[in-house]
Amino acid sequence: MSPFSIDIDEMTKAQAQKGKQVAYRRIYDLYKSAVYNLAFRMLQSREDALDVLQNTFVAAFQKMAQHSGDVAFGFWLRKIAVNQSLQLIKKNHRQRESQMSVAELPEQTAVNIDLNLAHDLNVLLQKLPPLSRSVLWLYEVEGFSHKEIADWYQMSVSFSKSQLSRSKKLMAEWLAHQEQDNDQKHNN
């Protein structure tokens, strides 16, 4: 069960819409770990995840009246957290984009990876470029469609698919290299 599937009670929602600090605190305490973990997995930076955590709650509290109740509050908040994370990724990507040449980008091919391997996924996520990492996380873990991811980035669906493919290919190469290193250690 997703930590975002938890909903808030009507009294808390009504108090938050009136700007009551006690309601804000209840909401923050209920979702802070889920928002931070989502942001950290996408950004792989404690400082950036803390910024996203803060910005997510500021945006959510400013937009409380926009929560219609059609979806659980947690899922509405998750969307805000994803948007905040993606904004930071895009900002950082634009800064690095001018420094990266096309020759540095790995070739794209379709690769299937079982993400339930007994390897430290966090170490592999840290190695991925931020765009690729965020698409992988949103698609494989959060369950968003390529269309939704493309819409967030204001790109095409093929952008999302190619970033996912790139992520999986890089992770497969790293896992294969890690297995070769382990085999060599055991044979020596």
Side-chain angles (χ1 to χ4, degrees), residues 13 18 27 30 47 55 77 159:
K13 182 179 177 183
K18 293 178 184 174
I27 292 169
L30 187 60
E47 294 79 21
N55 293 341
L77 185 66
F159 158 82

Side-chain angles (χ1 to χ4, degrees), residues 27-43:
I27 292 169
Y28 177 81
D29 288 342
L30 187 60
Y31 295 105
K32 67 182 174 191
S33 293
V35 170
Y36 175 82
N37 288 332
L38 170 64
F40 182 79
R41 295 295 182 205
M42 290 180 66
L43 302 165

Side-chain angles (χ1 to χ4, degrees), residues 26-173:
R26 268 190 244 133
I27 292 169
Y28 177 81
D29 288 342
L30 187 60
Y31 295 105
K32 67 182 174 191
S33 293
V35 170
Y36 175 82
N37 288 332
L38 170 64
F40 182 79
R41 295 295 182 205
M42 290 180 66
L43 302 165
Q44 291 298 303
S45 163
R46 183 179 184 279
E47 294 79 21
D48 288 346
L50 289 171
D51 286 346
V52 167
L53 175 68
Q54 178 179 343
N55 293 341
T56 296
F57 282 102
V58 167
F61 296 150
Q62 289 174 345
K63 299 176 182 181
M64 279 299 291
Q66 294 177 14
H67 178 248
S68 64
D70 292 344
V71 296
F73 180 83
F75 288 121
W76 179 77
L77 185 66
R78 177 178 77 162
K79 187 173 182 177
I80 294 171
V82 168
N83 283 331
Q84 292 292 325
S85 297
L86 292 177
Q87 285 177 8
L88 190 55
I89 289 169
K90 285 189 247 182
K91 176 185 166 197
N92 292 341
H93 178 69
R94 281 190 290 273
Q95 291 171 351
R96 283 186 236 132
E97 194 174 51
S98 61
Q99 299 169 356
M100 182 184 275
S101 71
V102 176
E104 294 172 352
L105 296 175
E107 183 180 317
Q108 298 178 20
T109 58
V111 175
N112 290 324
I113 285 186
D114 179 5
L115 291 180
N116 294 321
L117 294 173
H119 297 280
D120 188 356
L121 179 59
N122 198 43
V123 170
L124 294 175
L125 285 171
Q126 288 175 355
K127 291 181 173 185
L128 287 173
L131 286 173
S132 299
R133 178 177 53 239
S134 66
V135 171
L136 174 76
W137 189 264
L138 291 172
Y139 185 81
E140 294 291 349
V141 179
E142 295 296 328
F144 289 106
S145 70
H146 285 296
K147 171 95 173 80
E148 290 170 310
I149 296 167
D151 288 348
W152 269 320
Y153 274 105
Q154 298 174 337
M155 301 289 277
S156 67
V157 170
S158 63
F159 158 82
S160 177
K161 289 179 179 180
S162 68
Q163 290 296 323
L164 181 64
S165 174
R166 177 178 295 147
S167 299
K168 288 181 175 184
K169 180 177 186 250
L170 286 170
M171 290 178 80
E173 290 171 359

